[in-house]
Amino acid sequence: MNREISKKELLENDIISHYATPLDILSQTTDDYLFLLDIEKDVNRFFGDISAEFSIDIDENGTNTTDKFIAVVHPNDREVLLNDINDIRQGKKDFHNIDYRLINKNGKSVWVSCRGAVIRDLNGNPLIMIGRISREALAHMYNPLTGLFNQIKLLSDIKIELPQRKSGYIILVDIDDLSAINLTHGRAYGDDLLITIASLMEKIPSISKVYHTERNYFAGIVEVETDDNIREIYSFLCDSLSEKCTITTAALPYSSEIFSDEDTLYNALKLVMSKAKDNGRRSLKFYKDEEFKQKITSVSLLEEFQESVNNNFEGFYLNYQPQVTSSDYKLFSVEALLRYTSKSSGRIFPDEFIPLLESTKLIIPVGLWVLKTALLQCKEWRKYIRDLHISVNFSVVQLRDKNIVSDIFRVLDETDMNGDCLTIEVTESIPADGKSWFISIISELKKRNIQIAIDDFGTGYSNLGYLRDMEIDEIKIDRMFIKDIEKDTYNYRLVENTISFAKTNSIRSCCEGVETPKELAFLESSSPDIIQGYLFDKPCFPEEIYESYMDPESAKYKTRIEFLKALAEYKSQTSPITFNPKNILRDTNVGLWIIRTSHEKGINELHIDDTMETIMGIDKKLTPSECYKFWHDRIREDYAEYINENLLLITTLDKVVQLEYPWNHPTMGEVMVRSNGKLTKREDDFVIIEGYHRILSNIKTV
Ligand code: C2E
Ligand code: CA
Ligand code: CA
């Protein structure tokens, strides 16, 4: 198409009407807002109902001027936008491509991606620009609460900017104890705090960009030269927030001379943050402190790693942690855990060095070395325990390597071991978009009977239905849910439900991080298959495993047997209390439930006990999300709104709320139901409501 149009033609046909019809039609096919800017006259016409969302001052022809448009642009973004439009007006560029925030009718900022192409006249002067304003293009890149860009956008910006960067800083700001603040003052207060910090940081002139990278983390790109400048910013933030909270801040130089890529940089930032917290919160920590230089200067440590890899993995070694069967505590498997002793900085922990290995992909050769060493060790131990298993951790970086399956098979061949002795542990941080890719790896590995365990279950996004579809062999329930389980009814029920779901789907369940006999006694009432934790053993050297489990003559073996006796004694003393409320509830048809909801993650779960399952007429195992849907879909239509409103209300009250509503029972038809519930817990992104449920229609009173 010839994009050049004669001035004459334009004068004859008003340019806006010339393009209006096709744009009008096109706008019906997209959620984006299309626009046509007459550059010369500064008349802008929108297609699509932009004024429904933003309070844009538009005249009866659907047009306005740049000035009027700028009024709904976030003040911090106006300059960038105006500069770009000026460049276009002066003919300096033919394409417009910037991101900025518009303020919507509720006063919230919404990031939009705005793109346009300029059409020039025959003399080469810019005449009009046609383009689109899209919210969708950036929807996955910002945080809906603060309207700031998120971690995805930060990493993609660093990727572009880093190569040219020699100066400036990146800081990461964390609110200390946000969860506790949420608990004491309520979620709304915590949200306000996040918004306050966001706008404080945005007002600091030397911070050129602010990102809301994770729930309680803000990152800022700071255009200053010295550490002292950063200290000033930190104390300004602390002073401004002193009434409300304390903060911890990590800072590092934004320079390609120090960091090779965006992942290394962000990982280092988080490491500095975790160090800052180790020193107690309320602090500011710089990357360049000597202590860091030694430990995590990626350059020197990475060189050391590379050298180790070339040098037959010198410095790397494995510890093994037993996984025992529940109730008889036989050694079922050992988990191989990687360790590293650095020549320059001594012993370093996996939480520190694994991210570094991952960022350089060195984890791939190291991981295969781990696999081989662990398999050979298992082979040796199988002389004593015939069916011993070995569990090896694989991170997503390792699994994404295109040769991973053939490499694993090759190591099996080299060590002359069968796949069925091997369990591969994968954290559940496999992104949802990676599901099909992940499923195909699993099915490849299954060809040689390798088993798959989902590590740290409960901490990420996966739900039980997802695991059932994926043919997982084992779930490792994270220590976060096990810790103090005897005091936490929510965790207890969650673990109980997970284990029972696993059982019905023939998935093995393992409880991680069991430290006390009390925790063990509570867990065992749900009969998990496997237990792992310091209560039995910390990660050990191979000789220690041999002595404790395979050499009946050794002192360690005898100590272990003594310990098992003491444990049995303890359990018999604390065994079932005679008063069992569960039976009473069952006999009186009172079902117990927990609703776990996250608006942010779009998750609604209903966890129920066996009685509730029976009285709701559920005849097969449902996942908590399926269960929620089952319950909710059966509320009589005209009551659904009432229930939804009250569920929201409960989350703001510290009281028990009672609801009565008609519910469509699968076999009994419509019944009246009464539910009493109360908010019991707020976690970072979740609220938890607990309560009981009974059917009123069939209760016989005497
Ligand atoms: P993980 O796979 O969740 O490993 C379990 C971690 O929990 C280990 O930490 C272990 O020492 C610790 N642990 C076990 N029982 C208890 C307990 O009762 N209480 C407490 N507080 N902690 C307990 P470790 O060895 O520091 O490993 C940290 C993480 O590093 C591992 O978490 C795993 O994700 C990763 N990792 C370790 N070795 C490898 C490896 O060879 N390859 C890969 N990709 N990752 C590895
Ligand atoms: Ca693991
Ligand atoms: Ca784990």
Side-chain angles (χ1 to χ4, degrees):
M1 188 182 78
N2 182 6
R3 288 178 39 180
E4 293 169 349
I5 296 162
S6 77
K7 189 106 181 178
K8 185 165 165 286
E9 188 187 342
L10 287 166
L11 289 173
E12 283 164 8
N13 309 309
D14 172 25
I15 184 160
I16 293 192
S17 53
H18 182 91
Y19 282 98
T21 315
L23 286 174
D24 241 345
I25 295 170
L26 211 58
S27 79
Q28 291 162 28
T29 67
T30 168
D31 289 335
D32 295 349
Y33 302 116
L34 306 179
F35 65 84
L36 188 158
L37 173 68
D38 181 333
I39 298 172
E40 214 176 353
K41 294 188 196 147
D42 189 25
V43 175
N44 197 6
R45 169 140 181 205
F46 292 99
F47 303 85
D49 195 6
I50 192 166
S51 52
E53 187 174 358
F54 306 100
S55 306
I56 291 188
D57 186 1
I58 294 180
D59 66 18
E60 65 275 13
N61 304 322
T63 60
N64 74 1
T65 57
T66 306
D67 272 0
K68 286 185 177 157
F69 182 67
I70 280 290
V72 292
V73 175
H74 191 288
N76 285 20
D77 303 337
R78 288 178 188 166
E79 195 182 323
V80 185
L81 176 59
L82 282 175
N83 287 344
D84 203 76
I85 295 180
N86 265 336
D87 285 351
I88 283 168
R89 202 159 272 148
Q90 291 167 18
K92 289 186 190 160
K93 54 197 322 196
D94 279 330
F95 288 98
H96 166 75
N97 179 7
I98 59 172
D99 304 333
Y100 52 82
R101 281 161 289 184
L102 292 176
I103 309 295
N104 74 9
K105 286 193 161 161
N106 303 323
K108 283 207 152 193
S109 33
V110 178
W111 278 101
V112 295
S113 149
C114 183
R115 294 191 179 182
V118 174
I119 298 175
R120 293 178 184 249
D121 66 15
L122 279 180
N123 303 325
N125 296 321
L127 267 181
I128 56 167
M129 176 163 75
I130 294 179
R132 62 105 170 105
I133 295 175
S134 169
R135 292 148 298 173
E136 294 310 311
L138 294 177
H140 65 294
M141 288 204 182
Y142 69 89
N143 182 298
L145 177 69
T146 51
L148 291 174
F149 276 134
N150 61 19
Q151 187 178 331
I152 303 175
K153 180 75 165 129
L154 172 69
L155 293 178
S156 101
D157 286 355
I158 298 178
K159 189 177 180 148
I160 297 166
E161 286 176 11
L162 185 63
Q164 285 90 42
R165 275 284 181 167
K166 299 269 177 296
S167 69
Y169 286 78
I170 296 196
I171 58 173
L172 193 65
V173 176
D174 179 22
I175 305 176
D176 297 330
D177 302 317
L178 182 62
S179 310
I181 293 173
N182 275 334
L183 268 177
T184 5
H185 300 284
R187 173 68 179 251
Y189 181 92
D191 284 354
D192 271 351
L193 198 53
L194 290 166
I195 294 169
T196 307
I197 296 198
S199 66
L200 263 176
M201 283 179 73
E202 283 211 285
K203 285 198 189 105
I204 298 176
S206 55
I207 303 188
S208 59
K209 282 188 202 156
V210 184
Y211 302 81
H212 188 172
T213 57
E214 285 164 62
R215 168 119 186 100
N216 44 340
Y217 281 172
F218 292 93
I221 294 179
V222 198
E223 310 295 349
V224 294
E225 299 294 329
T226 68
D227 288 4
D228 276 342
N229 300 137
I230 296 288
R231 287 190 189 98
E232 281 161 22
I233 291 177
Y234 177 70
S235 51
F236 168 77
L237 286 173
C238 289
D239 292 348
S240 316
L241 294 164
S242 62
E243 310 270 292
K244 299 190 160 113
C245 65
T246 62
I247 53 170
T248 301
T249 297
L252 50 76
Y254 193 9
S255 165
S256 55
E257 284 165 2
I258 304 180
F259 300 103
S260 55
D261 59 58
E262 66 282 6
D263 289 327
T264 321
L265 188 149
Y266 195 70
N267 280 337
L269 199 54
K270 287 183 58 168
L271 266 179
V272 180
M273 177 62 85
S274 76
K275 288 285 161 189
K277 292 208 176 138
D278 288 349
N279 297 350
R281 288 132 204 261
R282 309 166 183 232
S283 57
L284 166 64
K285 182 115 200 145
F286 286 94
Y287 169 78
K288 58 183 152 196
D289 283 0
E290 276 319 302
E291 149 200 17
F292 278 110
K293 276 230 170 82
Q294 261 194 2
K295 282 236 161 174
I296 57 155
T297 300
S298 9
V299 190
S300 71
L301 197 54
L302 284 175
E303 275 168 7
E304 236 182 276
F305 283 146
Q306 184 68 60
E307 217 180 285
S308 296
V309 170
N310 297 344
N311 236 336
N312 207 12
F313 302 94
E314 186 193 22
F316 288 106
Y317 60 98
L318 296 185
N319 275 177
Y320 297 89
Q321 189 177 28
Q323 299 178 348
V324 297
T325 50
S326 164
S327 55
D328 61 358
Y329 315 125
K330 294 224 167 67
L331 190 60
F332 172 76
S333 184
V334 282
E335 178 176 359
L337 293 160
L338 185 58
R339 299 287 179 259
Y340 185 70
T341 309
S342 146
K343 279 189 198 144
S344 63
S345 356
R347 213 176 134 187
I348 313 173
F349 286 91
D351 288 339
E352 285 180 82
F353 70 76
I354 287 182
L356 283 179
L357 287 177
E358 285 178 344
S359 71
T360 52
K361 304 238 161 50
L362 274 176
I363 190 73
I364 294 168
V366 173
L368 291 170
W369 174 84
V370 172
L371 179 65
K372 184 166 183 176
T373 312
L375 281 169
L376 287 174
Q377 185 63 69
C378 179
K379 188 174 184 177
E380 167 67 21
W381 283 336
R382 281 196 160 203
K383 292 179 189 156
Y384 308 92
I385 301 174
R386 245 189 41 235
D387 48 2
L388 183 69
H389 283 248
I390 185 98
S391 303
V392 178
N393 293 286
F394 275 78
S395 65
V396 177
V397 178
Q398 291 170 270
L399 293 178
R400 279 207 188 273
D401 184 58
K402 63 181 191 317
N403 299 323
I404 188 66
V405 174
S406 58
D407 280 343
I408 292 177
F409 289 176
R410 178 175 47 77
V411 175
L412 281 177
D413 294 338
E414 282 170 8
T415 53
D416 191 23
M417 291 290 276
N418 277 333
D420 55 13
C421 71
L422 174 64
T423 299
I424 287 186
E425 296 193 1
V426 189
T427 62
E428 58 160 333
S429 61
I430 302 285
D433 68 351
K435 197 174 155 185
S436 63
W437 148 83
F438 187 49
I439 289 177
S440 76
I441 298 245
I442 293 181
S443 67
E444 284 294 306
L445 294 173
K446 292 254 145 141
K447 290 185 184 153
R448 303 234 352 216
N449 298 326
I450 295 170
Q451 304 188 21
I452 309 293
I454 293 295
D455 209 348
D456 307 338
F457 183 79
T459 60
Y461 292 86
S462 55
N463 59 45
L464 291 163
Y466 182 98
L467 299 185
R468 183 179 51 193
D469 299 343
M470 289 203 304
E471 290 189 81
I472 293 296
D473 301 282
E474 180 180 328
I475 298 175
K476 298 190 74 178
I477 302 169
D478 192 72
R479 162 154 176 74
M480 173 180 145
F481 302 99
I482 308 294
K483 191 168 184 299
D484 298 333
I485 191 160
E486 70 276 12
K487 296 181 207 139
D488 191 323
T489 41
Y490 169 70
N491 280 356
Y492 178 71
R493 296 252 281 282
L494 188 90
V495 169
E496 190 183 37
N497 262 299
T498 307
I499 294 173
S500 109
F501 181 86
K503 265 195 208 332
T504 31
N505 288 286
S506 314
I507 298 174
R508 191 162 70 219
S509 53
C510 170
C511 295
E512 277 194 283
V514 179
E515 288 187 357
T516 66
K518 253 209 183 95
E519 287 167 356
L520 182 73
F522 264 76
L523 284 170
E524 288 193 333
S525 65
S526 316
S527 323
D529 299 300
I530 308 289
I531 307 282
Q532 177 178 0
Y534 292 174
L535 176 65
F536 291 95
D537 287 285
K538 295 197 166 172
C540 309
F541 287 96
E543 313 76 80
E544 295 175 298
I545 300 276
Y546 169 75
E547 287 174 17
S548 297
Y549 290 86
M550 296 162 212
D551 177 9
E553 301 307 315
S554 78
K556 275 197 182 321
Y557 191 99
K558 290 174 184 151
T559 313
R560 187 175 59 89
I561 301 295
E562 285 309 309
F563 164 73
L564 291 184
K565 276 191 199 142
L567 194 60
E569 176 83 349
Y570 170 85
K571 286 203 310 192
S572 70
Q573 280 164 8
T574 51
S575 66
I577 321 156
T578 40
F579 172 72
N580 189 341
K582 232 175 144 170
N583 293 347
I584 301 173
L585 294 174
R586 189 192 57 222
D587 297 344
T588 52
N589 275 334
V590 176
L592 299 178
W593 53 263
I594 300 176
I595 289 180
R596 181 171 183 251
T597 303
S598 165
H599 279 301
E600 278 160 35
K601 295 185 176 164
I603 294 175
N604 286 311
E605 293 176 353
L606 176 61
H607 299 257
I608 55 177
D609 71 351
D610 296 346
T611 311
M612 178 96 174
E613 204 169 80
T614 316
I615 59 185
M616 283 172 86
I618 298 179
D619 58 3
K620 60 171 189 278
K621 276 284 170 201
L622 299 177
T623 67
S625 320
E626 288 165 354
C627 191
Y628 185 93
K629 191 165 179 325
F630 178 90
W631 163 70
H632 199 270
D633 288 353
R634 287 174 173 275
I635 297 167
R636 202 171 79 195
E637 211 172 311
D638 50 335
Y639 273 75
E641 194 63 34
Y642 155 82
I643 299 290
N644 291 345
E645 277 167 12
N646 278 289
L647 278 177
L648 257 177
L649 179 72
I650 297 179
T651 64
T652 62
L653 293 178
D654 188 25
K655 281 196 220 129
V656 177
V657 171
Q658 175 169 306
L659 304 175
E660 280 183 25
Y661 53 94
W663 190 77
N664 178 17
H665 191 280
T667 54
M668 295 157 70
E670 186 172 298
V671 292
M672 251 344 243
V673 155
R674 178 185 293 160
S675 281
N676 290 45
K678 182 173 185 295
L679 175 76
T680 55
K681 195 166 171 181
R682 287 176 192 276
E683 287 174 344
D684 269 357
D685 288 321
F686 286 95
V687 288
I688 292 155
I689 307 167
E690 294 185 50
Y692 65 84
H693 173 107
R694 69 190 310 170
I695 292 175
L696 299 177
S697 314
N698 64 344
I699 298 174
K700 291 202 175 58
T701 40
V702 273

